[in-house]
Structure formats: C-alpha cells, structure tokens
Amino acid sequence: MAIRESVLHTVVNCFKRHGAETIDTPVFELKETLSGKYGDESKLIYDLKDQGGELLSLRYDLTVPFARFLAMNKITNIKRYQIAKVYRRDNPARGRYREFYQCDFDIAGHYDPMIPDAECLKIVYEILTEMELGQFCIKVNDRRLLAGILTVCGVPETKFKTVCTSIDKLDKISWDSVRNELIEDKNLKPEIVDQIGEYVQLNGGISVIDHLCTDPKLSQDNLVMEGLRDLKLLNRYLEIFGVTDKISFDIGLARGLDYYTGVIYEAVMLQNSEENESQQNGHLQESIGSIAGGGRYDGLVGMFDSKSRNVPCVGLSIGIERIFCILEKRYKTSGEKIRTTETQVLVASAQKTFLEEKMKLVSTLWNSGIKAEIFYKENPKFLSQLHYCEEQGIPLVAIVGEQELKSGVVKLRVIATREEVEIAREDIIEEIRRRTT
Amino acid sequence: MAIRESVLHTVVNCFKRHGAETIDTPVFELKETLSGKYGDESKLIYDLKDQGGELLSLRYDLTVPFARFLAMNKITNIKRYQIAKVYRRDNPARGRYREFYQCDFDIAGHYDPMIPDAECLKIVYEILTEMELGQFCIKVNDRRLLAGILTVCGVPETKFKTVCTSIDKLDKISWDSVRNELIEDKNLKPEIVDQIGEYVQLNGGISVIDHLCTDPKLSQDNLVMEGLRDLKLLNRYLEIFGVTDKISFDIGLARGLDYYTGVIYEAVMLQNSEENESQQNGHLQESIGSIAGGGRYDGLVGMFDSKSRNVPCVGLSIGIERIFCILEKRYKTSGEKIRTTETQVLVASAQKTFLEEKMKLVSTLWNSGIKAEIFYKENPKFLSQLHYCEEQGIPLVAIVGEQELKSGVVKLRVIATREEVEIAREDIIEEIRRRTT
C-alpha cells in the first residue's frame, strides 16, 4: 500500500496538473449498461445475484460508466480523472488480477482535431517518465486507418473485429503466427493476408504515415485519408510537446475494445530497460504487456443518450497494477525498506510508571499536528521501544523520565545517530518539526 | 468529490498522525466470511451471482474483512486505517446509501487496558473538532455493563440481542416507546422493564459510573465490575487527553452489531449546533444519526482462525457520508463556490492562430510542475477564455500574442483584479508560483 500510495500520488498529481477534476461512479452498473460494449471480453463481467430490484454487474472498466454518467447528466464537456477498482472474472497472473485499479483521464467535448488527443499522449509520456520505470515506447495508430486497410485488402466488414483480434497479438507473437491464424482460423485467403501483412508490420516515425499518404489504394478511402491527416497533425502537436522521441506509429496496433473510433495508443516497456535486463531472457515485455493505453471513442456516449446525441471523447488509462509490480520487485531486490507509516516520533520512557506523562506529551504533540505514537503498555521495555523505531523507520524518540520532568525538559534521541539532546518542553514541537521535515 | 477529497484528507491526516498504516482488502469476501457477523442486518448483504468458482458477497463493513485479514495473515498487532466503500441493500435516505465510504481506524494487539481505547476516542474527538461541524457529544458505554444490567434485571440471555435492539432506539424514540416495545413486542414483564429503565436512562459524566459502582445488585456481577473499572480508567486517560468535555457515559447505548465485547461509543451531533438551528424543528439529529462509532471486539479475529486464537481489537468508524451531507448543505447555503480543479493558470491568446505558441508555453509550464490548461480550439474567443477562468476559479491567465512574442514576454492577467503585468518569458514560472501558492 505504501508503494501504491506513492505511485497513485504521482498519477493524480499529473492529472491535476492538466486541469482535470475527479468524479466517482458506483462499483456496480445496470447489467444492460455494460452489455455489448466489450466484445468478446463480456464473459468476464461479474454479475450480482438477483435479490430483487435491478440486475447489476460490477464495473469492467471506467470508460463505459464515464460515458453513461455523461449521457445521464447531459454533460457535453468535461476533463475528468477517476482512480478506482474494476472487476474481471479472469485467471489471475502477474500484474493481472480479478480486482484492480484503473487510473483514467478523459477529455470529453466538441473540440478541434487532435489537440486533446495530443494532451493525452503528453500525459502518458509525463507519467511514465516520472515513474522512472525504464525505457518505454508509445505505439500510435488510428482505427479508421486500420479499417480502411482491411477494406482495401478485401476483408469483408463482418470479419473486421475477429481479424483485428488476431492482428492485436502482433506484440506477443510473430507475423507468421498471426498470418497462419488469419488463414486457418479466420478463413482469409493467403493473398489477402499477405496484403494486410505489408501494412500492419509497418512501424516507426512520421515517415510511416507520409509513406501511407502516397499509397494509391489507400488514397481512395476518405476515412483513411482523414485518419492519416489527423495522425500528421497529432505528430505536429507532439513535436511541440517534445514527446516524439517515444512515439512509434505502429500500423499493427489494434486494441481489443469495441468502442474506439479514431486515434488509439498503447505504451509498452522496452526490452532493454533496467527491469528487463534483470530477467533471464527478456520475456518480461510479454508478461507485463502494455502499461498504458487509450484512444478516441466518439460514439460511446450516444449509446446511452435517448436521442443518441454524441459527445466525442478521448482518454487514457494507466496500467497501474503493472507499474506496482515493477516497482515492488525493484524495492524487493534493492533491499531498501519502505516505511508504511509517517510517524515522526515515539514518546518513550526508560523508567516504569511514566504512562500518564507519556500520554500527556503525546497528546500535546498530536494537538500540534506532530505524527506521534506511544506504546500501549504501562511499562514497556526501553529497548523494545528503540527496536520498534528502528523497525518502523521512526526517526526520533522523545524520552520522558523523572530527571527530565524535574528539569522541564524532554530528551530527544535520534535513532540513526544515537545522539541525545535535552530540549526545553516548550521547544519540543519546533525541534521535532525541524528535525523531521 | 471536491468536498469529499477535503474531508477525507482531514481524516487520513489524523489517522496518520496516530501512526496508522493502511491496508486494502477486496470489495468482495467469501459469503461464509460475512455470515453470522451482523445479526439481523445480514439480510442487507449483496451477494454475487454464482458464475462458477467461490460464492462471494460484497463487503458490508470494513471490520469483518479486517479481522479475516488479521487471522489469515497471522498478524497479532497492527494499527491500521482503511478508507473504502461498503455495500448494503438498504433503502437510500439522507446520509444513507447502498454504496458508501467507511473510514475505519483499528488497533489490534494484546495491550494494557484502555490505552488504545482512549486513543480511539481521542481520534474521534480530533476529527469531529477539526471538521467544525458544530457541537457534538461522544456517548460511551460497555457491553459487559449492559449485559450485566440485563442479567440482574432478570432478562434471559436468549433475549439479550433483541432487547438491546430496542434499547438502541433510545436516541431516536422516548423511553416510553421503548418500554412499550419491550413489554408488548419482546414479551418482558413490566417490572423487569422498569428496572432496566432505571439503568438505561442514566447518562452524564463519570459520576454515573461512580454511582453504578455502589449499586448493590450490579456489584454481584464480575463482568460488570470489570466493565465499570475499565470505564473509570478510560475516563482517567481521556482526562489526560483533554477530551472529557465531549464524553457522556450513556448506559442506554447498545449499538447494533453483534461483535462488540467491551467499551462501545457513538458520536452524535447536538441539537443546538449550527446546522441544526437552520432546521425548522430540530429533527436533524434523528435524520443524521450518529456520525462516528466504534468499540472493542476481542472475539472477532478468533472466528477466522483455525485454532480460534484471538487478537483483541478496538476501533472506530467515521460516518463520513453524513459529514459530507452536512458540509455539502453548508456550502450550498453559503453560496460559496468550491473549485473542482487546482489549475493555476490558463494559457490564452487574444488573437487568432496562436495555438502552437500556446501549446509551447503550456508544455513548458507542465514540465515545471505548474497546473495549467489551454482551450482545445484553434481560435477560441478571448472573452470565453476569461469567462472560463471565472467559472472555474482559475486565478491567472497567461496571454500569448504577437507583441508579447516579439518582446520575449508573457502577459499575466490576474482574474480577480484584472491587473495585467508583462513578465519576461524566463521568469514566468517563478511568477506563477509566487502568485498562486
């Protein structure tokens, strides 16, 4: 929890830096709100038992509840973040749980192209950089482009979803395996698959997009050209934001969820990162998977509005559990101890029967906002009190004793150096503050 | 959410001041973990649908999951807080929801009597004082005392629970109504009920306890005498902590939950408080109910341990939703505007086609940790940008224009005073920091 709190603090701080407010939605939604939004993954939704009343399901992500919230409250523009748990009836694995945090940031509203989209990518860049997780790359693509490619290659529209599911595996398995799957499981003709392959294996800087702009087949498709124009504009904005060094246009990026309609992106850790080097053979990228992702979903809010009025949205989700995994492992291997409390001082005594005096002092400290503890024993051993400080990382001990009481002082002991100083009772608060902040 | 965040901040800060760490438990527990722990209220537990795998229920409070966690991880002493949502299939009413936050602080471990108990009461006192909600009172009683009273009055042990449920209504209905309920619904003899009435209507300072200590009937009962001795010791510690002005020993306080075994307490807002005066006829106390409560539960952890090893616990829960209600109402009537974001500056322009320049500047600000926004439009109206700042409470506007670009300055406008100053580009970050912190 201590690691989690510090990671979440970084994330929230970034979201607030970009002017977002936060909202809260319930852990359960009407079952019907969630159905038909997640494609094949719907089978992983937890339903509540029918105990009378509405049929409910636990939320599966934060995006669908957010869209439902916008439609229900007729909100047409908002920049919001939400950090909350979501639920999936999945088989737990490393960085993959049945209950896990999502950290979402979304911009909803009718705006000029790619300005909010660029900010979302800037946020992903800022958070992953601040976390110091190692080298990462943000893959960018556009659903319109992907759909257009499938069209010009001759894939029937009814097969788009299932073909995308296969293409989406390109970060985990080779093109040859995907090719086989498309031919054998998805029944596409080899020549169609090979055409697809020429496109979806493309990745790199803006030259990839420039190259596609000159493709005679693609230029027939209006949606594709719109997508390519937007990606070029996006790249221009990302240059201004100074983040293009981590951006890779990856035409094979598909992303699983149904609701994306435009730009999509996904951040992955790179093999040569610090964490990966400590693995035997670089299999970490696979097991950790993407650590952030998102995209534009302009049609989702309309699905919850009685008059189908749409609110264009673009957002991102930080894969915080995977980040926890990386950091937890790093702390464990470093042997560094993480404090789980923030206690500044333990009020202790070397002699017996000073409980009430300790209570008086600790009460004064609490009232002054000092984080302080005492032992809940009438006569604890002095050494136990010192050991406790060492274990818990409490930096100071305020020692109350007969001599000190008579002289109106408190003895302050610094755990790290064993230094002991006598402080006048009226100066003790200032002294503790001075030494612990 | 803005009010909630500020309230939760106060609560967490207090819990940390008392040296607590935080833990997290899942939103669902095994159904069997929750059964038999909440008495009559069990019917309000949300169950999950049986989709294969374990039978699960949504947590009903944070105490039972905490006890389960201690037993499962063999933790024998810990001071932890947890702030999380709990779920009850209840009929929503003011300050009473199906999904709501609980803010719990608990001390687990074998310690000397009443030291942790006194700290819990000190924490309730600190939080309610810091919130500035109005006058409050913390009622204190002991389950052993209550059980002893029922015994000496001749109530059979099998009826204890149901009799306590009636007595617990004393804060909402008169003794006469409770008396009727005990005689007519619970089938107690009137002379027994009248004996009970003499005890449970007692409340006040430590003199109430002193008075009971001399009661010839009660002094026969060992558990009662233990309870009374503990309450006297508790009062002594509360004197040291300087909180007895809000403490009332209330022999009619019963609290609903089954698991309490010793000291119990409940904080209520007093009728003459600021908030209540604004009500027509002082019915608020009833509708708001208790705003904090807790007590000692020494037997709960043992219920989850295979060898029934117990860990004594004492804790408190802050009724944060009721506090939100009070504060939200106060803000609404005050007309004071609450900021939902923390944005320090909006980067704007008065002229068209300065989007890229605005993006450059806002990017620099973000990179320096300044909370900043721009409009997601290529050519927003200048007035719209100023209005937005007023609405959102953003104190500063950084204005980019042709003149400013040439001179290498940014014009900084203070929304409140309409003052405008030209700041050299290299000083802008310092200037924004200086003016917004």
Side-chain angles (χ1 to χ4, degrees):
Chain A
M1 283 302 286
I3 298 175
R4 279 168 188 242
E5 284 201 321
S6 109
V7 171
L8 291 179
H9 178 77
T10 305
V11 172
V12 168
N13 205 35
C14 179
F15 291 164
K16 286 185 173 175
R17 191 159 64 235
H18 288 266
E21 58 190 302
T22 186
I23 66 159
D24 192 21
T25 61
V27 79
F28 33 56
E29 294 281 340
L30 292 180
K31 189 176 159 67
E32 64 190 66
T33 298
L34 304 191
S35 40
K37 309 300 185 303
Y38 301 108
D40 198 32
E41 297 186 37
S42 286
K43 62 178 187 294
L44 301 182
I45 293 174
Y46 273 106
D47 293 328
L48 266 76
K49 190 171 154 185
D50 183 359
Q51 295 170 289
E54 308 89 346
L55 287 181
L56 303 168
S57 300
L58 296 188
R59 62 183 163 214
Y60 184 83
D61 70 0
L62 301 177
T63 310
V64 170
F66 173 59
R68 192 266 309 152
F69 174 87
L70 293 188
M72 210 160 150
N73 295 288
K74 305 205 188 319
I75 295 168
T76 54
N77 63 306
I78 190 173
K79 186 158 47 178
R80 85 87 179 77
Y81 72 89
Q82 185 173 3
I83 291 172
K85 302 260 189 74
V86 301
Y87 299 89
R88 301 185 182 181
R89 297 192 321 108
D90 209 344
N91 287 323
R94 189 169 178 232
R96 200 183 175 96
Y97 307 103
R98 292 185 173 161
E99 173 183 58
F100 58 96
Y101 276 108
Q102 280 199 342
C103 301
D104 279 24
F105 175 101
D106 294 82
I107 301 172
H110 292 269
Y111 299 121
D112 285 332
M114 296 300 113
I115 313 178
D117 313 58
E119 184 164 354
C120 287
L121 286 163
K122 167 84 168 133
I123 289 173
V124 171
Y125 184 100
E126 284 181 14
I127 289 174
L128 297 185
T129 305
E130 273 182 61
M131 296 283 182
E132 297 181 336
L133 299 171
Q135 289 298 315
F136 62 90
C137 162
I138 309 175
K139 300 177 185 176
V140 177
N141 198 8
D142 194 296
R143 273 283 170 95
R144 292 165 293 180
L145 177 57
L146 200 60
I149 287 169
L150 297 184
T151 307
V152 304
C153 293
V155 178
E157 212 180 317
T158 50
K159 284 198 175 174
F160 275 15
K161 273 191 201 174
T162 182
V163 170
C164 279
T165 308
S166 299
I167 294 174
D168 208 35
K169 295 179 186 165
L170 268 178
D171 57 338
K172 301 198 186 74
I173 58 177
S174 70
W175 167 248
D176 280 347
S177 311
V178 172
R179 187 179 179 280
N180 273 343
E181 191 175 309
L182 286 174
I183 295 169
E184 277 158 36
D185 303 349
K186 310 287 165 90
N187 296 315
L188 290 187
K189 289 183 195 149
E191 52 274 28
I192 289 184
V193 175
D194 289 332
Q195 272 192 68
I196 297 173
E198 272 174 43
Y199 289 110
V200 298
Q201 290 181 88
L202 291 173
N203 66 77
I206 189 66
S207 59
V208 169
I209 304 304
D210 290 332
H211 167 73
L212 289 175
C213 284
T214 63
D215 186 291
K217 276 184 290 176
L218 288 180
S219 58
Q220 310 292 314
D221 189 310
N222 278 339
L223 271 181
V224 167
M225 292 317 283
E226 221 179 79
L228 288 171
R229 207 175 52 232
D230 277 353
L231 287 178
K232 285 182 82 160
L233 186 59
L234 177 67
N235 190 66
R236 172 72 195 127
Y237 293 155
L238 295 177
E239 273 172 13
I240 296 175
F241 286 160
V243 300
T244 41
D245 59 316
K246 304 288 188 200
I247 300 289
S248 167
F249 292 96
D250 189 319
I251 312 307
L253 177 70
R255 287 188 66 72
L257 299 171
D258 282 359
Y259 48 64
Y260 291 116
T261 55
V263 169
I264 47 177
Y265 33 84
E266 202 166 280
V268 293
M269 297 305 299
L270 292 181
Q271 295 286 5
N272 63 347
S273 78
E274 178 193 330
E275 289 301 318
N276 290 347
E277 280 170 345
S278 67
Q279 298 280 312
Q280 295 103 314
N281 47 12
H283 273 309
L284 188 69
Q285 179 175 340
E286 244 173 71
S287 64
I288 283 287
S290 77
I291 50 166
R296 179 162 281 283
Y297 50 103
D298 289 348
L300 192 56
V301 177
M303 294 173 78
F304 299 108
D305 186 272
S306 53
K307 292 176 185 163
S308 300
R309 280 166 301 206
N310 261 318
V311 179
C313 295
V314 61
L316 65 95
S317 188
I318 302 289
I320 205 78
E321 302 290 344
R322 289 166 180 180
I323 294 177
F324 293 152
C325 266
I326 295 175
L327 292 180
E328 206 165 29
K329 187 165 165 290
R330 182 181 298 175
Y331 274 109
K332 270 181 195 156
T333 52
S334 79
E336 199 185 316
K337 221 169 174 183
I338 307 154
R339 287 198 64 181
T340 57
T341 69
E342 299 176 9
T343 307
Q344 295 164 279
V345 59
L346 179 75
V347 175
S349 63
Q351 299 131 308
K352 288 189 175 183
T353 70
F354 278 85
L355 176 63
E356 296 203 353
E357 286 303 329
K358 285 186 283 184
M359 289 177 106
K360 264 183 220 170
L361 180 57
V362 80
S363 186
T364 310
L365 297 177
W366 288 331
N367 294 344
S368 307
I370 301 281
K371 300 187 180 98
E373 293 183 61
I374 51 166
F375 267 40
Y376 303 122
K377 295 268 186 184
E378 286 185 39
N379 297 307
K381 285 180 190 147
F382 187 58
L383 263 182
S384 315
Q385 298 173 75
L386 294 186
H387 281 319
Y388 179 76
C389 290
E390 277 164 16
E391 258 170 44
Q392 296 283 313
I394 301 173
L396 298 174
V397 193
I399 303 164
V400 181
E402 212 173 326
Q403 208 48 51
E404 288 82 10
L405 275 176
K406 270 188 197 149
S407 344
V409 298
V410 174
K411 199 185 279 168
L412 207 60
R413 182 187 170 110
V414 182
I415 289 290
T417 62
R418 298 183 185 186
E419 172 199 5
E420 288 189 350
V421 282
E422 290 197 341
I423 312 288
R425 248 189 123 87
E426 60 271 24
D427 300 329
I428 186 75
I429 287 156
E430 262 324 296
E431 187 65 23
I432 292 170
R433 275 206 195 112
R434 198 180 65 73
R435 285 173 180 266
T436 51
T437 40
Chain B
M1 284 301 286
I3 298 176
R4 278 168 188 242
E5 284 202 321
S6 110
V7 170
L8 291 179
H9 178 79
T10 306
V11 171
V12 169
N13 205 32
C14 180
F15 290 165
K16 286 185 173 174
R17 193 159 62 234
H18 288 265
E21 59 190 301
T22 187
I23 66 158
D24 192 21
T25 62
V27 79
F28 33 55
E29 293 280 340
L30 291 179
K31 189 175 156 68
E32 64 189 67
T33 298
L34 304 191
S35 42
K37 309 300 186 301
Y38 302 107
D40 199 30
E41 296 185 38
S42 286
K43 63 179 185 295
L44 301 182
I45 293 174
Y46 274 106
D47 292 329
L48 266 76
K49 191 170 151 184
D50 182 0
Q51 296 169 286
E54 308 89 345
L55 287 181
L56 303 168
S57 301
L58 297 188
R59 63 184 162 213
Y60 184 83
D61 69 0
L62 301 177
T63 311
V64 170
F66 173 59
R68 192 265 309 152
F69 174 88
L70 293 188
M72 212 160 148
N73 295 288
K74 306 209 186 319
I75 294 168
T76 54
N77 64 307
I78 191 173
K79 185 157 49 176
R80 86 85 178 79
Y81 73 88
Q82 186 173 4
I83 291 174
K85 302 260 189 73
V86 302
Y87 299 88
R88 300 186 182 181
R89 298 192 320 108
D90 209 343
N91 288 322
R94 188 167 180 236
R96 201 183 172 94
Y97 307 103
R98 290 183 174 162
E99 172 183 59
F100 57 96
Y101 276 109
Q102 280 199 341
C103 302
D104 279 24
F105 174 101
D106 293 82
I107 301 171
H110 292 268
Y111 298 122
D112 285 331
M114 295 301 113
I115 313 178
D117 312 60
E119 183 165 354
C120 287
L121 285 161
K122 167 84 167 134
I123 289 172
V124 171
Y125 184 100
E126 283 180 15
I127 289 174
L128 298 185
T129 305
E130 272 181 63
M131 296 281 181
E132 298 182 335
L133 300 171
Q135 289 298 315
F136 65 89
C137 162
I138 309 175
K139 300 176 184 178
V140 178
N141 198 9
D142 193 296
R143 274 281 171 96
R144 291 165 295 181
L145 178 56
L146 200 60
I149 287 169
L150 296 184
T151 307
V152 303
C153 293
V155 178
E157 212 178 319
T158 50
K159 285 196 174 174
F160 275 15
K161 272 190 202 175
T162 182
V163 170
C164 279
T165 309
S166 301
I167 293 174
D168 207 34
K169 297 178 185 164
L170 266 179
D171 57 338
K172 299 197 188 76
I173 57 175
S174 69
W175 166 248
D176 279 348
S177 311
V178 172
R179 185 178 181 280
N180 273 342
E181 190 175 309
L182 287 174
I183 294 169
E184 278 157 37
D185 302 349
K186 311 286 166 90
N187 297 315
L188 289 187
K189 288 185 195 149
E191 52 274 24
I192 288 184
V193 175
D194 289 334
Q195 271 192 69
I196 297 173
E198 274 174 42
Y199 289 111
V200 297
Q201 291 180 86
L202 290 174
N203 66 77
I206 190 66
S207 60
V208 168
I209 304 304
D210 290 333
H211 167 74
L212 288 175
C213 284
T214 64
D215 185 291
K217 276 184 289 177
L218 289 181
S219 57
Q220 309 292 313
D221 188 311
N222 277 341
L223 271 181
V224 169
M225 293 317 283
E226 221 178 80
L228 289 171
R229 206 174 51 233
D230 276 354
L231 287 179
K232 286 181 80 160
L233 185 61
L234 177 65
N235 191 68
R236 172 71 195 128
Y237 293 155
L238 295 178
E239 275 172 9
I240 296 174
F241 285 160
V243 299
T244 43
D245 59 317
K246 304 287 189 201
I247 300 289
S248 167
F249 292 97
D250 190 320
I251 312 307
L253 177 71
R255 289 189 63 74
L257 300 170
D258 282 359
Y259 48 63
Y260 291 116
T261 55
V263 170
I264 47 176
Y265 33 82
E266 201 166 281
V268 293
M269 298 306 297
L270 292 181
Q271 296 283 7
N272 62 347
S273 78
E274 180 193 333
E275 288 301 318
N276 291 345
E277 277 169 346
S278 68
Q279 297 282 311
Q280 295 102 318
N281 48 13
H283 272 311
L284 187 69
Q285 178 174 343
E286 246 173 68
S287 64
I288 284 287
S290 75
I291 50 167
R296 179 162 280 285
Y297 51 102
D298 289 348
L300 192 56
V301 177
M303 294 172 77
F304 299 108
D305 187 273
S306 53
K307 291 178 183 161
S308 300
R309 279 165 301 204
N310 262 318
V311 179
C313 295
V314 62
L316 64 96
S317 188
I318 303 290
I320 206 78
E321 302 289 344
R322 289 165 181 180
I323 293 176
F324 293 153
C325 266
I326 296 174
L327 292 180
E328 206 164 28
K329 188 165 164 291
R330 182 181 297 175
Y331 274 110
K332 272 181 194 156
T333 53
S334 78
E336 198 187 317
K337 222 168 170 185
I338 307 155
R339 288 198 63 180
T340 57
T341 69
E342 298 176 11
T343 307
Q344 295 163 280
V345 60
L346 179 76
V347 175
S349 63
Q351 298 132 307
K352 289 189 173 182
T353 67
F354 278 86
L355 176 63
E356 296 203 353
E357 286 303 330
K358 285 188 283 184
M359 288 178 105
K360 263 182 220 170
L361 180 56
V362 80
S363 187
T364 310
L365 297 178
W366 288 331
N367 293 344
S368 307
I370 302 281
K371 299 184 179 99
E373 293 181 60
I374 50 165
F375 267 38
Y376 302 122
K377 296 268 187 186
E378 286 186 35
N379 297 307
K381 287 182 189 145
F382 187 56
L383 264 182
S384 315
Q385 298 174 73
L386 295 184
H387 281 319
Y388 179 75
C389 290
E390 276 164 17
E391 259 169 43
Q392 295 284 313
I394 300 172
L396 298 174
V397 192
I399 303 165
V400 181
E402 213 174 326
Q403 208 48 53
E404 288 82 8
L405 276 176
K406 272 186 198 151
S407 340
V409 299
V410 174
K411 200 185 275 167
L412 206 59
R413 182 186 169 109
V414 182
I415 289 290
T417 61
R418 299 182 185 186
E419 174 200 3
E420 287 188 349
V421 282
E422 290 196 340
I423 310 290
R425 248 189 122 88
E426 62 270 26
D427 299 332
I428 187 74
I429 286 155
E430 261 324 296
E431 187 66 22
I432 293 170
R433 275 206 195 115
R434 198 180 66 73
R435 284 173 181 267
T436 52
T437 41

